[in-house]
Amino acid sequence: MSSSKPKVLLLGQIEHASARSEYELLSSLAQLITPKSSNPGDFLAECRSGAFDGTRAVYRTFDSISITGRIEGGVVKALADAGVRFIAHNGAGYDQIDVPSCTTSHIHVSNTPTAVSAATADTALFLLLGALRNFNPSLLSLRSNAWRGNPPPALGHDPQNKILGILGMGGIGRNLAVKARALGMEIWYHNRRKLDEEMEAGATYKGFEELVEGCDVLSLNLPLNEGTRGLIGEGMFEKMKKGAVLVNTARGGVVDEAALVRALDTNQISSCGLDVYDKEPHIHPGLINNPKVMLLPHMGTWTEE
């Protein structure tokens, strides 16, 4: 006998035990289902097969894009035809979803713009300090029983009195600003619009190019969309201070990774700290093979809390 309950479709794995327990509480209200497919082509076919008919809500993770592809076009239509009216994304960025297409198909989309602010800002600060102090080469040599390395790496730099340029002063950017200011950094930022004084909290608004040209560390905290894809590329690296540091905890696609590799190879950029990549989980080999680059496998929100 088929269930009379509406269905909720889970896309991706819920990693936190407490979150899984809370999700499973929905079983009193809905039939919890998962797809059988593991790639975008099969997922679209499964959507069209009627397997998800009666589904009212979808809960998705960032990594579920490997199953579904971007939620757009035929996928949105197939989900709408199945009865989906709500997609909940458990992250701040929603670039993996064509929101206008969902809106046209009467599907509401939600995200969690504040839940990840502190954890992501902490990750950005970790990468900032590691890259600025040039810690990574010796982290690698230490694990090879070579102490600091021979020859030892170049000396790093203290954060005190350095200018941190924050590109995208949303919740994560503002959280990072508070933490970096405690290290003695001066905070500049660029946004689509200038914040009011209370939200600026002492940060200085700069034009985009002025920010890029003048900061010692550039932190990317902006969403990925058509206007920001590849925004930090060859031309922007050439404008940055010689020896500046780049930190990216936003989306990999904001950076032209090939241009970043060239900027590192010529020492235009002294180091960088990255938690996100354009073609995750694949990483440009020029980044993997450069000891000056601090890399994390998209762990900005990887905390129990």
Side-chain angles (χ1 to χ4, degrees):
M1 180 182 296
S2 62
S3 172
S4 60
K5 293 180 181 178
K7 298 175 183 177
V8 173
L9 174 63
L10 173 63
L11 298 175
Q13 298 294 320
I14 300 176
E15 302 290 348
H16 295 72
S18 58
R20 280 199 303 274
S21 297
E22 291 180 6
Y23 177 78
E24 288 163 2
L25 292 175
L26 291 174
S27 62
S28 63
L29 303 172
Q31 181 184 355
L32 306 183
I33 63 173
T34 56
K36 295 179 180 178
S37 47
S38 59
N39 62 76
D42 288 349
F43 179 75
L44 180 57
E46 191 174 1
C47 286
R48 290 171 171 168
S49 73
F52 305 142
D53 286 359
T55 299
R56 291 294 176 265
V58 174
Y59 181 84
R60 71 176 303 277
T61 68
F62 180 87
D63 290 339
S64 69
I65 194 168
S66 64
I67 300 170
T68 65
R70 190 167 188 264
I71 305 295
E72 62 184 352
V75 173
V76 172
K77 183 180 186 306
L79 290 174
D81 290 345
V84 172
R85 292 294 174 263
F86 189 82
I87 296 176
H89 172 62
N90 73 338
Y94 46 87
D95 48 282
Q96 295 177 341
I97 304 172
D98 183 348
V99 176
S101 178
C102 288
T103 301
T104 300
S105 298
H106 306 291
I107 297 176
H108 299 277
V109 178
S110 71
N111 64 334
T112 56
T114 59
V116 300
S117 294
T120 305
D122 289 344
T123 302
L125 191 63
F126 167 81
L127 292 170
L128 183 158
L129 285 173
L132 192 61
R133 291 289 306 273
N134 198 28
F135 282 149
N136 201 61
S138 292
L139 288 174
L140 297 174
S141 63
L142 182 64
R143 292 182 181 277
S144 300
N145 295 314
W147 196 230
R148 294 193 185 103
N150 187 21
L155 292 172
H157 296 277
D158 292 329
Q160 287 88 350
N161 301 315
K162 301 298 187 299
I163 297 171
L164 170 61
I166 297 177
L167 188 54
M169 195 73 152
I172 296 170
R174 294 195 302 275
N175 196 298
L176 174 60
V178 171
K179 291 164 178 170
R181 190 176 290 110
L183 298 177
M185 301 190 80
E186 181 180 348
I187 310 300
W188 292 3
Y189 78 97
H190 179 75
N191 242 13
R192 286 174 295 180
R193 61 184 67 87
K194 188 178 184 298
L195 301 178
D196 61 40
E197 280 191 28
E198 183 177 356
M199 294 190 77
E200 281 185 332
T204 302
Y205 181 82
K206 298 288 184 179
F208 172 52
E209 291 198 5
E210 186 181 9
L211 179 87
V212 170
E213 292 171 354
C215 65
D216 299 296
V217 180
L218 178 62
S219 177
L220 306 181
N221 302 99
L222 68 167
L224 177 63
N225 53 47
E226 291 182 3
T228 62
R229 178 168 289 281
L231 179 66
I232 306 301
E234 199 86 50
M236 289 300 107
F237 289 125
E238 289 175 357
K239 290 178 182 293
M240 290 176 72
K241 280 184 178 180
K242 182 79 171 178
V245 168
L246 177 75
V247 174
N248 189 8
T249 55
R251 286 290 185 264
V254 174
V255 176
D256 179 339
E257 289 181 348
L260 173 57
V261 168
R262 290 191 293 273
L264 287 161
D265 288 345
T266 61
N267 293 314
Q268 175 63 22
I269 301 298
S270 66
S271 182
C272 67
L274 306 174
D275 186 44
V276 290
Y277 312 91
D278 190 25
K279 304 294 183 185
E280 295 181 16
H282 306 291
I283 304 176
H284 193 295
L287 298 172
I288 288 283
N289 296 326
N290 191 324
K292 297 186 296 183
V293 179
M294 291 200 66
L295 303 174
L296 289 176
H298 205 147
M299 300 184 74
T301 58
W302 199 261
T303 75
E304 188 66 35
E305 290 75 19

